[in-house]
Amino acid sequence: MLRQRYGLAVIGLLAASVPLAPAEAQKSGGTLRVYSPDSPGSMSILEESTAFAVGPMMGVFNNLVLFNQSMKQNSVETLTPDLATSWAWSSDKRQLTLQLRQGVKWHDGRPFTAKDVECTWNYYLERSEAKLRVNPRRTNYANLDRVEVKGDFEVTFHLKRPQPSFVAFLGGGVSAVYPCHVPPEAMRRRPIGTGPFKFVDYKPGQFIKVERNPDYWKPGRPYLDGIEWVIMRSVGTALLAFAANEVDMTFPTQITMAQQRDVKKQVPTAMCEETPGTVNRHVIINRKIAPFDSLEVRRAMALAIDRKAFIDIIAEGKGDAGAILQPSPGGLWGVPPELLKELPGYDPDIQKNRAEARAIMEKLGYGPRKRLKFKLTTRDLAIYRDPAVILIDQLKDVHFDAELDVVETAAYFPKIRRQDFAVGLNLQTSGPDPDQVLDIFYGCGAINNWDAYCNPEIDKLIEAQSIEADQTKRRQLHWQIEKRLGQEATRPIIFYPQGATCWHPRVKGHTILVNSFFNGYRYEDVWLDQ
């Protein structure tokens, strides 16, 4: 019954997005201007963790396979050929063989071959002489043993164990293929890809520019002459630029409900689309630092969270409470509401939860006259700061006193990677498949396991769900993981706010995804009606 309800909800969500009018004839030319909220650390899509790098750079590269850019909901079933023309599994599901596209050239004119695929995944596996400065998705490929090259146009990925969803890793926006002949250091500054757009220039705090690749292997694409990502850290400034026709489109899903109303008042002709939240707000608690090494302290923090208040204040009621994977209908794997409320900390009786939290803290020696003081670290963007302020206020009710510690983007991720924090308010993508989240955040050796969580029993469950081919059984295994993580107050998830994207009517051919923040920026099908 649960699966049937999920299916009906998803069908309704996707059906609502299908255009009823006949497709318009595409036009070539013009430069799309999109506002971007922040400057990335570099142009290296393999090394960066934010959509503010992936968005501008995804169109510079190709993947082996790609989530269909015209379908709103990503899944293994929506993968399409890209640099690979076909792929097939061995009978034991441990070898994935891909046939590669011939005649493709890098932007500098060198030919693309299977060796480039091997070089790229050797970066992930840290087996190449040249190294990535940062390797944020290394643990996504922990199950990859090696990449075998068979001539110039065939590769086989050899896995250590079966992993049916492995191919989904290859389809994500961050899974670009890099050239063997260009070192990582150069890719940070002037990346070279095979994609529909060629990198032109990057000025931190100002813009990122790409231009049409006239030699793109896909005939007729892209339609645009180029894209300029205009960096504006002030949302107010960005929306004024949109109203003045200085930008064509807002950064996908980054507009709040209140901001969307303002846009529609100022620009009645603007097209805006609300999207289910794909990125949650959550608490990271450093278990290496006392007293946060205490499960009881972490449980008290988790019990203090009033998720409905966050949704009402920040998202004007348009958001969802959820656990580590995005709730339906946008997400395919989230815990259903009737089971979610049974998870630790999700009881809708907030006063009961907080009474339990105060009792825990008082047992540990804290109270109105002895409060637990700490710094709450977060990134210096409104989407981080605003929920952080609400969290600080809610924690006061259970004997915590937090001071807001706001960190610029360039320093924020290095700081939390060093585990140089006590407690943080962070954002985390949910991903279209459980492996893409569990492998990178929750395993004992996960690359983004910033809170030092490690439970060998959870590792076994993570592996079991990854191997399981039956989707019903896999979903049940995942819900077991969610329950255990909740019991251990591991990265308490606060909520998933809905977001909006606005664009002028002249922008055509783009699709806003409902269950991914990273996979929809190829833009080779986008065109301007001007």
Side-chain angles (χ1 to χ4, degrees):
M1 181 62 70
L2 287 175
R3 291 192 69 188
Q4 184 179 22
R5 287 207 299 274
Y6 290 168
L8 291 173
V10 170
I11 290 169
L13 176 71
L14 299 182
S17 69
V18 175
L20 299 178
E24 300 174 80
Q26 296 90 345
K27 298 178 182 178
S28 295
T31 296
L32 177 72
R33 289 170 58 86
V34 185
Y35 111 75
S36 181
D38 208 355
S39 297
S42 77
M43 296 291 94
S44 177
I45 200 168
L46 297 192
E47 298 177 279
E48 295 298 324
S49 300
T50 76
F52 309 139
V54 177
M57 289 297 100
M58 186 173 169
V60 172
F61 296 96
N62 286 113
N63 294 19
L64 290 171
V65 300
L66 185 68
F67 288 110
N68 189 318
Q69 298 290 284
S70 66
M71 298 186 70
K72 286 184 169 292
Q73 194 166 49
N74 292 168
S75 71
V76 172
E77 287 72 27
T78 68
L79 289 168
T80 59
D82 208 27
L83 289 178
T85 56
S86 64
W87 58 95
W89 283 101
S90 62
S91 59
D92 64 359
K93 303 296 183 183
R94 292 179 60 183
Q95 289 85 42
L96 178 67
T97 298
L98 302 97
Q99 305 300 321
L100 303 182
R101 195 174 301 279
Q102 301 184 32
V104 176
K105 292 183 178 180
W106 296 99
H107 293 157
D108 60 4
R110 298 276 290 271
F112 159 75
T113 72
K115 289 297 293 182
D116 295 306
V117 178
E118 181 184 38
C119 286
T120 300
W121 270 266
N122 278 342
Y123 286 140
Y124 285 122
L125 298 176
E126 299 183 344
R127 294 176 183 170
S128 55
E129 183 176 343
K131 304 294 182 184
L132 299 176
R133 181 172 54 190
V134 182
N135 191 0
R137 285 163 286 274
R138 170 176 55 82
T139 49
N140 274 350
Y141 294 104
N143 186 39
L144 176 61
D145 180 56
R146 61 190 173 91
V147 177
E148 179 185 4
V149 171
K150 301 177 180 178
D152 284 343
F153 301 106
E154 181 177 315
V155 293
T156 297
F157 287 81
H158 292 266
L159 307 184
K160 300 171 186 176
R161 58 163 172 79
Q163 188 179 13
S165 67
F166 176 85
V167 68
F169 287 134
L170 309 182
V174 297
S175 300
V177 179
Y178 266 28
C180 275
H181 63 280
V182 182
E185 190 278 331
M187 296 294 282
R188 296 178 200 127
R189 295 179 291 106
R190 298 200 63 83
I192 290 174
T194 58
F197 297 98
K198 301 171 71 171
F199 174 79
V200 176
D201 196 10
Y202 170 40
K203 301 284 187 202
Q206 298 181 48
F207 60 76
I208 300 169
K209 295 181 180 179
V210 298
E211 65 183 7
R212 185 178 188 273
N213 174 13
D215 301 314
Y216 189 41
W217 54 267
K218 189 178 291 188
R221 301 293 194 280
Y223 298 114
L224 297 168
D225 288 335
I227 306 175
E228 182 176 353
W229 301 79
V230 185
I231 299 166
M232 300 181 185
R233 299 192 76 249
S234 166
V235 178
T237 300
L239 296 184
L240 285 173
F242 180 83
N245 260 317
E246 294 174 4
V247 294
D248 302 296
M249 183 175 170
T250 66
F251 199 89
T253 73
Q254 295 297 285
I255 301 300
T256 67
M257 300 302 106
Q259 290 163 349
Q260 179 188 207
R261 281 200 309 276
D262 289 343
V263 167
K264 293 295 289 183
K265 286 179 182 178
Q266 295 183 57
V267 190
T269 59
M271 311 291 290
C272 294
E273 179 179 322
E274 296 177 16
T275 309
T278 64
V279 178
N280 63 52
R281 278 60 169 158
H282 66 278
V283 188
I284 46 175
I285 308 171
N286 192 341
R287 295 160 181 256
K288 290 184 176 180
I289 296 178
F292 303 106
D293 55 348
S294 163
L295 173 58
E296 294 299 287
V297 170
R298 299 194 302 271
R299 283 188 59 225
M301 296 186 82
L303 287 164
I305 297 171
D306 181 352
R307 292 172 172 83
K308 185 176 185 302
F310 278 92
I311 294 169
D312 289 345
I313 294 168
I314 292 179
E316 298 187 347
K318 293 190 175 182
D320 298 289
I324 67 172
L325 292 186
Q326 181 188 5
S328 66
L332 295 170
W333 296 93
V335 177
E338 51 265 52
L339 297 183
L340 184 69
K341 65 183 180 182
E342 298 176 5
L343 296 183
Y346 285 85
D347 190 322
D349 189 339
I350 302 302
Q351 296 311 313
K352 173 186 170 184
N353 292 345
R354 289 185 178 172
E356 182 181 347
R358 284 190 291 270
I360 290 171
M361 293 297 286
E362 288 161 12
K363 181 180 177 181
L364 294 172
Y366 298 98
R369 296 185 179 179
K370 183 186 177 184
R371 301 172 69 80
L372 200 167
K373 298 183 178 183
F374 64 94
K375 288 187 176 182
L376 181 71
T377 300
T378 199
R379 188 176 172 191
D380 191 15
L381 288 176
I383 55 176
Y384 287 73
R385 291 192 309 267
D386 293 349
V389 170
I390 296 172
L391 179 62
I392 287 173
D393 185 64
Q394 292 189 0
L395 290 174
K396 287 179 180 177
D397 202 29
V398 296
H399 310 319
F400 290 93
D401 270 346
E403 175 188 349
L404 187 62
D405 175 29
V406 176
V407 181
E408 290 290 332
T409 294
Y412 175 72
F413 286 106
K415 183 179 178 71
I416 61 173
R417 287 190 191 107
R418 295 193 307 268
Q419 297 180 328
D420 180 19
F421 69 95
V423 180
L425 186 290
N426 195 48
L427 272 63
Q428 179 174 301
T429 185
S430 168
D433 186 89
D435 279 0
Q436 293 173 306
V437 175
L438 296 172
D439 285 347
I440 200 170
F441 293 116
Y442 294 97
C444 286
I447 191 70
N448 289 344
N449 186 348
W450 302 311
D451 48 352
Y453 174 75
C454 182
N455 184 333
E457 292 182 6
I458 291 294
D459 278 5
K460 290 178 182 177
L461 283 171
I462 289 174
E463 181 172 312
Q465 67 79 35
S466 180
I467 293 172
E468 182 57 64
D470 184 288
Q471 300 300 286
T472 300
K473 293 179 181 178
R474 190 180 182 207
R475 187 170 279 110
Q476 295 293 332
L477 286 167
H478 176 71
W479 292 346
Q480 289 183 44
I481 293 170
E482 293 270 26
K483 184 175 182 179
R484 290 292 300 273
L485 292 175
Q487 290 170 338
E488 298 181 45
T490 304
R491 292 198 184 198
I493 306 299
I494 302 174
F495 75 121
Y496 289 80
Q498 284 194 14
T501 311
C502 294
W503 61 93
H504 290 287
R506 59 181 173 270
V507 181
K508 308 287 186 180
H510 65 94
T511 301
I512 310 300
L513 305 184
V514 300
N515 69 333
S516 174
F517 188 46
F518 287 97
N519 298 344
Y521 304 98
R522 178 61 63 81
Y523 286 7
E524 64 186 24
D525 297 316
V526 175
W527 56 283
L528 293 174
D529 188 10
Q530 59 181 20

